[in-house]
Amino acid sequence: MAVRSSSYDVFLSFRGEDTRHGFTGNLYNVLRERGIDTFIDDEELQKGHEITKALEEAIEKSKIFIIVLSENYASSSFCLNELTHILNFTKGKSDRSILPVFYKVDPSDVRYHRGSFGEALANHEKKLKSNYMEKLQIWKMALQQVSNFSGHHFQPDGDKYEYDFIKEIVESVPSKFNRNLLYVSDVLVGLKSPVLAVKSLLDVGADDVVHMVGIHGLGGVGKTTLAVAVYNSIACHFEACCFLENVRETSNKKGLESLQNILLSKTVGDMKIEVTNSREGTDIIKRKLKEKKVLLVLDDVNEHEQLQAIIDSPDWFGRGSRVIITTRDEQLLVLHNVKRTYKVRELNEKHALQLLTQKAFGLEKKVDPSYHDILNRAVTYASGLPLALKVIGSNLFGKSIEEWESVLDGYERSPDKSIYMTLKVSYDALNEDEK
């Protein structure tokens, strides 16, 4: 099996002869269906005693290691070497997790080398030459160490079905790493106070209710950036998360069904669900998510039908769920009975200058004082609009003062197209008096 260049969410370590075509194979399939990128080796890689370079690379590209400790796990020197490598690699790394699964074995047998584990180690001792006894001690320490991690225990005579046990393992995986965070390319400026304000409106600690919060304001003022910052700061408190960006554009180009499919794939994790019409989608959302504590962001909403198709009523989601809606149209929030709202304002002069400086000069701490006047001119022109500040700063990166003056003269005659089009969408949505 070739190892790809990107990382894996989960690495499965197991005794192939014990569980490959049963428990571990089923676990792998469910993990993949839930959208969790999982590495499982092929049978060729487990031949021999030493782990291969390909497996070492896969281990180093993985975040969570599920160790399936089955009856004959310790009889394989390959498995013991793999376990030792995993433990050595993850030692001291806070961004890596180990999750042992005691499959039809007693955790105390693993820890104290009893039962089949004791027998396997005794057999290894007979086969190993005297100068390899150190390796036996390393294996014993590895088994003792892995048994001390918090994991899952399946008893063959217990009251739990195996598929329920697999579901339990799969649902515990996302909590081991925060895979819900959204990438942010820019240093966030002037958001500390707005983030705190929106989080206060969300009241994440109140798990007995479902809250919807609307974020509204002019196009380009930073509604999406604010929603991303809030989302990243609270995502760890929810069972399932989904950030539906560009709702306006996606709805127009691909229909409401596309938005519903994205929501279901992100929150339910069942890749087999495929909504063919929006009425069917609303029914599936209500059935699948009514018991889940969900964090959902609907970004850039411009039609009430979009909200009706995704969350017409708060009781569609489980208690403790939170919905954030960003829109340019405050009246749309009123129409959908969203009581808690926050209006995003333009940046003040200090934050506007900070954002422009970052985009125009990178992260340099000192800017040539000769740029002082032209920077202030650009800040005044942008009127505190983050979009305008980012576009202007990027366009003027590395340019001389004379070039700055020329570009700003041009902007005052004819605005940058991307800024103009963003503002035009907001303008066109106004009634005649507001225009």
Side-chain angles (χ1 to χ4, degrees):
M1 174 181 282
V3 178
R4 64 186 183 189
S5 59
S6 57
S7 63
Y8 297 93
D9 292 331
V10 170
F11 180 100
L12 290 174
S13 175
F14 61 100
R15 176 75 160 120
E17 294 178 12
D18 281 5
T19 64
R20 179 186 299 278
H21 301 296
F23 172 76
T24 301
N26 292 330
L27 173 60
Y28 172 75
N29 286 332
V30 177
L31 286 166
R32 294 288 294 174
E33 285 176 357
R34 295 292 182 91
I36 298 172
D37 293 326
T38 305
F39 178 89
I40 185 171
D41 64 16
D42 57 32
E43 296 188 48
E44 288 300 315
L45 286 178
Q46 281 206 4
K47 288 183 176 179
H49 301 285
E50 300 299 325
I51 65 173
T52 62
K53 186 66 177 176
L55 275 180
E56 288 183 3
E57 291 178 12
I59 288 170
E60 291 166 7
K61 295 178 185 297
S62 301
K63 302 170 187 174
I64 298 176
F65 300 88
I66 297 181
I67 317 295
V68 182
L69 296 154
S70 55
E71 184 177 9
N72 297 306
Y73 185 89
S75 66
S76 167
S77 57
F78 179 94
C79 288
L80 294 172
N81 284 328
E82 184 177 81
L83 174 62
T84 301
H85 189 82
I86 290 170
L87 292 171
N88 288 337
F89 171 70
T90 57
K91 187 176 181 180
K93 292 182 172 68
S94 59
D95 61 341
R96 300 293 194 274
S97 296
I98 291 178
L99 182 66
V101 174
F102 303 95
Y103 182 71
K104 299 183 180 181
V105 299
D106 193 319
S108 64
D109 286 351
V110 180
R111 184 176 298 113
Y112 299 115
H113 313 141
R114 298 190 302 227
S116 64
F117 285 81
E119 293 172 9
L121 291 170
N123 288 332
H124 286 306
E125 187 171 6
K126 292 176 184 177
K127 296 176 183 177
L128 288 172
K129 296 178 182 179
S130 58
N131 57 331
Y132 283 94
M133 284 299 111
E134 183 181 350
K135 174 163 279 193
L136 182 66
Q137 295 306 312
I138 292 173
W139 289 346
K140 288 182 177 180
M141 289 174 61
L143 288 170
Q144 187 174 31
Q145 187 178 345
V146 75
S147 68
N148 288 327
F149 286 96
S150 176
H152 299 271
H153 183 200
F154 182 74
Q155 297 172 300
D157 55 352
D159 58 356
K160 187 180 296 182
Y161 289 109
E162 189 167 290
Y163 63 80
D164 285 330
F165 180 62
I166 288 175
K167 181 180 177 183
E168 177 184 298
I169 296 169
V170 172
E171 290 180 349
S172 74
V173 166
S175 66
K176 297 292 179 182
F177 61 95
N178 206 334
R179 60 198 302 272
N180 298 308
L181 298 188
L182 303 174
Y183 174 70
V184 179
S185 59
D186 295 317
V187 178
L188 304 179
V189 175
L191 283 181
K192 184 177 180 180
S193 178
V195 166
L196 290 174
V198 174
K199 287 174 69 173
S200 177
L201 291 172
L202 288 166
D203 193 13
V204 173
D207 282 345
D208 58 331
V209 293
V210 176
H211 283 320
M212 290 193 290
V213 171
I215 297 175
H216 62 95
L218 188 68
V221 80
K223 300 182 296 297
T224 300
T225 304
L226 173 57
V228 169
V230 172
Y231 178 97
N232 281 346
S233 70
I234 65 175
C236 61
H237 297 285
F238 296 85
E239 182 182 353
C241 301
C242 179
F243 194 107
L244 284 175
E245 58 184 343
N246 301 323
V247 168
R248 172 205 306 264
E249 182 179 351
T250 303
S251 176
N252 288 340
K253 290 183 177 180
K254 300 180 180 179
L256 297 172
E257 301 85 359
S258 175
L259 294 167
Q260 293 171 329
N261 277 320
I262 295 171
L263 171 62
L264 289 166
S265 67
K266 292 285 187 181
T267 54
V268 179
D270 188 346
M271 303 301 182
K272 296 177 182 177
I273 297 177
E274 187 171 349
V275 174
T276 56
N277 64 75
S278 60
R279 291 178 184 272
E280 175 191 30
T282 57
D283 181 61
I284 296 174
I285 290 171
K286 286 189 285 185
R287 286 191 290 106
K288 293 285 186 178
L289 299 181
K290 65 180 179 181
E291 300 297 333
K292 277 186 179 286
K293 183 181 177 182
V294 175
L295 171 62
L296 170 63
V297 177
L298 290 156
D299 176 52
D300 194 23
V301 176
N302 71 318
E303 298 287 348
H304 191 224
E305 289 77 9
Q306 295 156 359
L307 295 176
Q308 291 176 310
I310 303 297
I311 180 166
D312 192 35
S313 171
D315 62 11
W316 282 20
F317 295 163
R319 291 191 302 175
S321 294
R322 295 294 182 268
V323 179
I324 300 171
I325 302 163
T326 77
T327 181
R328 307 178 193 203
D329 185 359
E330 185 180 5
Q331 184 58 33
L332 189 149
L333 299 174
V334 174
L335 182 62
H336 202 64
N337 200 33
V338 178
K339 304 290 187 182
R340 303 183 176 205
T341 62
Y342 180 84
K343 182 175 182 177
V344 183
R345 307 283 180 179
E346 294 82 358
L347 294 177
N348 60 32
E349 187 176 343
K350 174 186 174 182
H351 288 142
L353 182 60
Q354 182 183 346
L355 179 57
L356 177 63
T357 302
Q358 284 179 0
K359 301 304 292 184
F361 298 96
L363 297 179
E364 294 179 19
K365 292 185 178 179
K366 291 185 178 180
V367 176
D368 190 329
S370 62
Y371 279 85
H372 179 267
D373 290 342
I374 196 69
L375 276 168
N376 285 333
R377 179 185 170 188
V379 165
T380 300
Y381 171 77
S383 301
L385 196 68
L387 173 66
L389 291 161
K390 289 178 182 179
V391 170
I392 294 169
S394 298
N395 288 344
L396 296 176
F397 184 84
K399 290 184 167 57
S400 66
I401 293 176
E402 291 74 20
E403 289 174 306
W404 275 59
E405 289 175 343
S406 175
V407 170
L408 288 175
D409 288 342
Y411 281 156
E412 288 172 355
R413 291 192 299 270
S414 178
D416 176 273
K417 186 177 180 181
S418 61
I419 301 172
Y420 172 80
M421 292 307 298
T422 299
L423 294 176
K424 186 175 185 301
V425 171
S426 295
Y427 177 82
D428 290 343
L430 300 173
N431 61 42
E432 290 304 315
D433 290 339
E434 290 171 327
K435 288 178 180 179

